[in-house]
Amino acid sequence: MYVEGQLTEAQADSKVTTIDEAYYSIGKLGKYQLIVYVSSFVTMITCMMYVFSLPLFLIFPKVTGCISPETNSTVLCADPQEACTVPMRVYENNRFNFITEFDLACNYAAGTLIPLSFIIGNLIGSLIFSAISDNFGRLKVICIGQLGNIACIGVIMIAGNYLTTMVMSGLCGFVTAASGTPTYAFAYDSIHPDRIKFSGTLINIAFAVGEIIIALLMWTGISWRFMCLLICLWSSLFFVILTQLVEAPKFLLSKGKPESALASLRHIAEMNGKPLPPTFVLRQPGIEAGAETETEAELKSDIQKNMIKMLFEKEVMLPLLMTMMLYFSCGYIYYGISMNIQSYGGNIYKNACINGIVEVVAVVLSGIAMSRWGIKLPFAISFGFSGIFMLLIPFVTRSEEVISMFIAFGKFGISACFNFVYVIVGELFPTRIKNTVLGLCLITDRIGSILGPVFGLNKSLFQVVSAILCVSCVLIVIQFPLKVHQ
């Protein structure tokens, strides 16, 4: 019986091979792999641009005047309380954001519902689209996500209404999950396993690049509507690249479609300029040479068995629960910092740029560390590093510059952790359930990303909980298994 990852006599004659061996023969890093990286980079930047723009769209402006209801003229407000006694206010500058557009200066809680609706929508979408992409294909779901992003953000840009913005932000978060989660699985399944760490690092850099781009553009003073237009234009770049992409052969083979997988491999080989040999034969994992392909009913039964194995067998369930805890902690700390960045004082645009640059450095260094020392030691050190600085913030001087520096160090550590935790899913879990596993993990990540900003309203509580989570995760990482699936 041929099993993926093992050599057979037929393979020795170059007639039957595995997907990974095929990737090796047609090029580990050719033109096609570069296109996959570019498409993943574009997609992930799209996913992050809107969510990172939300804190900047909600910067609290200074109220400079009140519109008198009797005369409909602008008068000076004696104090902030007086500004909230009139129906309309005048703001310090014309840098229009959600606060000025919807006049939320005296109802900031209503403004915070906009990013909260995005995160809740993303939580729901992570589970739904992960399961869909595991059954119908990664590329199809990514296309749904990109089109959905353009549609939702376009409606927000045109409508200019608070209720519409809140509802469409939730839908935007929902469809963003269709782009985010499958992008990792598609990239991991489209390349040789030797490149998984590099791929995870490159995709995670897109998170930081999205944050830097948003901060720099908003710093120039552009309106939130123009920013939404730029996000839509960026999203459309994916469809230019889509013409060169095919569904991952490894995914197609796992779905019982060896002919389609072979066609995808030939497309990749042609783009890389290394055609497959005429005698090349690709067998489905678990099928004996000469045996018939699995029927649709058998394939569905096999998928159900994989899901049961994932949920109930110790060799998969325990690592899954541990990974979910790591995702929760990363989401809590990362988004607790990112979504409450203005609460730490200073220039919010400068702080966002610094945090983005710090994140790029963290992801690059964590990628280098993985290749030299593996995952465990750098992962544990990164959690410990972040926890120390989050715990020290309440005890340092009240200087905004010092606090911003400590926050940047905390963001450095947790950004590195995010890089490690995504690679863990790519390496440890089998192809058929990889995206479902990632979806389950991202649900806990989104729960953390909801609680983080909420706890962040009380900075001391947020920092103490962050430190406790970091210590717990260090202990988890130390006990983490090196391999789940052979």
Side-chain angles (χ1 to χ4, degrees):
M1 178 179 288
Y2 162 58
V3 180
E4 188 175 8
Q6 298 179 354
L7 292 175
T8 65
E9 292 182 3
Q11 285 176 287
D13 296 332
S14 299
K15 293 182 180 180
V16 181
T17 188
T18 66
I19 291 288
D20 293 340
E21 289 172 331
Y23 283 150
Y24 184 82
S25 64
I26 62 180
K28 289 184 179 181
L29 187 61
K31 179 181 177 182
Y32 182 79
Q33 284 77 19
L34 292 177
I35 292 175
V36 170
Y37 290 144
V38 171
S39 68
S40 301
F41 203 74
V42 169
T43 304
M44 294 312 298
I45 288 181
T46 301
C47 293
M48 300 313 299
M49 285 180 79
Y50 185 68
V51 67
F52 277 131
S53 67
L54 290 177
L56 305 183
F57 287 169
L58 293 170
I59 293 177
F60 200 94
K62 181 179 179 181
V63 178
T64 58
C66 302
I67 298 180
S68 173
E70 291 83 9
T71 62
N72 199 31
S73 59
T74 302
V75 298
L76 291 177
C77 298
D79 53 55
Q81 285 73 27
E82 181 185 350
C84 295
T85 61
V86 295
M88 295 290 291
R89 283 146 289 280
V90 178
Y91 297 94
E92 184 178 30
N93 55 51
N94 61 351
R95 182 176 291 179
F96 294 108
N97 59 19
F98 289 159
I99 300 297
T100 58
E101 181 77 22
F102 309 132
D103 194 27
L104 301 175
C106 297
N107 191 14
Y108 190 71
T112 60
L113 291 178
I114 296 175
L116 185 61
S117 67
F118 178 94
I119 296 174
I120 292 174
N122 198 256
L123 186 155
I124 298 171
S126 294
L127 179 60
I128 294 175
F129 285 115
S130 296
I132 291 175
S133 66
D134 267 349
N135 287 278
F136 298 102
R138 326 296 199 199
L139 274 181
K140 294 177 182 177
V141 175
I142 294 173
C143 290
I144 292 173
Q146 293 298 99
L147 285 172
N149 263 311
I150 294 172
C152 292
I153 295 176
V155 171
I156 291 173
M157 178 179 61
I158 295 171
N161 173 272
Y162 168 74
L163 183 60
T164 303
T165 299
M166 185 178 68
V167 172
M168 296 310 297
S169 290
L171 289 175
C172 184
F174 179 78
V175 296
T176 294
S179 296
T181 310
T183 293
Y184 281 95
F186 174 72
Y188 290 155
D189 290 343
S190 299
I191 59 174
H192 192 275
D194 289 350
R195 301 291 180 180
I196 284 181
K197 291 185 178 70
F198 174 77
S199 302
T201 299
L202 186 65
I203 294 173
N204 281 326
I205 288 176
F207 280 75
V209 172
E211 185 175 8
I212 295 171
I213 291 174
I214 287 292
L216 290 176
L217 289 175
M218 295 293 289
W219 204 348
T220 64
I222 64 175
S223 70
W224 67 269
R225 277 193 173 87
F226 188 65
M227 189 69 252
C228 287
L229 175 62
L230 293 179
I231 295 174
C232 291
L233 293 175
W234 180 269
S235 299
S236 65
L237 290 178
F238 171 78
F239 296 99
V240 178
I241 306 170
L242 180 63
T243 57
Q244 304 297 315
L245 298 175
V246 291
E247 189 60 77
K250 188 177 292 186
F251 168 79
L252 293 171
L253 194 63
S254 74
K255 297 285 106 178
K257 300 178 180 179
E259 295 84 5
S260 299
L262 184 58
S264 292
L265 278 174
R266 293 194 185 281
H267 174 83
I268 297 171
E270 182 180 351
M271 290 196 67
N272 287 348
K274 295 183 178 181
L276 292 170
T279 57
F280 180 85
V281 177
L282 187 63
R283 295 277 179 201
Q284 185 178 348
I287 302 297
E288 294 185 12
E292 295 183 356
T293 305
E294 288 177 292
T295 65
E296 185 176 352
E298 290 171 339
L299 194 57
K300 289 182 178 179
S301 176
D302 196 20
I303 293 172
Q304 291 173 353
K305 290 178 181 177
N306 272 325
M307 293 298 294
I308 293 173
K309 176 182 178 181
M310 180 187 71
L311 294 174
F312 295 104
E313 288 196 6
K314 181 180 178 181
E315 65 175 2
V316 176
M317 181 179 66
L318 183 59
L320 174 60
L321 294 176
M322 296 168 73
T323 306
M324 291 172 70
M325 177 61 184
L326 296 175
Y327 266 89
F328 173 83
S329 302
C330 288
Y332 175 89
I333 301 171
Y334 184 89
Y335 286 98
I337 293 174
S338 299
M339 303 303 285
N340 286 308
I341 190 170
Q342 64 174 311
S343 66
Y344 292 97
N347 187 314
I348 184 174
Y349 303 106
K350 182 178 74 173
N351 290 342
C353 287
I354 291 174
N355 284 349
I357 294 170
V358 164
E359 189 171 343
V360 170
V361 175
V363 172
V364 171
L365 291 181
S366 64
I368 296 173
M370 273 191 288
S371 59
R372 295 194 62 177
W373 298 295
I375 292 181
K376 274 194 174 184
L377 180 61
F379 200 178
I381 292 175
S382 298
F383 263 124
F385 185 84
S386 180
I388 289 172
F389 281 98
M390 296 307 296
L391 187 61
L392 289 177
I393 290 174
F395 304 103
V396 299
T397 174
R398 293 293 91 189
S399 168
E400 292 181 348
E401 290 76 14
V402 175
I403 293 176
S404 297
M405 181 181 68
F406 274 57
I407 288 293
F409 282 134
K411 184 80 175 286
F412 176 91
I414 207 64
S415 298
C417 292
F418 249 130
N419 194 28
F420 292 125
V421 79
Y422 273 110
V423 172
I424 283 177
V425 173
E427 286 196 334
L428 295 185
F429 296 95
T431 299
R432 285 191 178 181
I433 61 172
K434 185 181 297 179
N435 215 43
T436 301
V437 168
L438 186 56
L440 292 172
C441 291
L442 286 178
I443 287 176
T444 59
D445 170 36
R446 295 301 173 255
I447 293 174
S449 64
I450 292 172
L451 296 178
V454 173
F455 278 55
L457 298 176
N458 185 325
K459 291 185 285 188
S460 297
L461 178 61
F462 167 74
Q463 291 147 11
V464 170
V465 173
S466 297
I468 293 173
L469 288 174
C470 286
V471 172
S472 302
C473 289
V474 169
L475 298 177
I476 290 176
V477 170
I478 293 174
Q479 301 297 321
F480 209 84
L482 291 175
K483 189 169 286 293
V484 172
H485 178 67
Q486 299 293 335

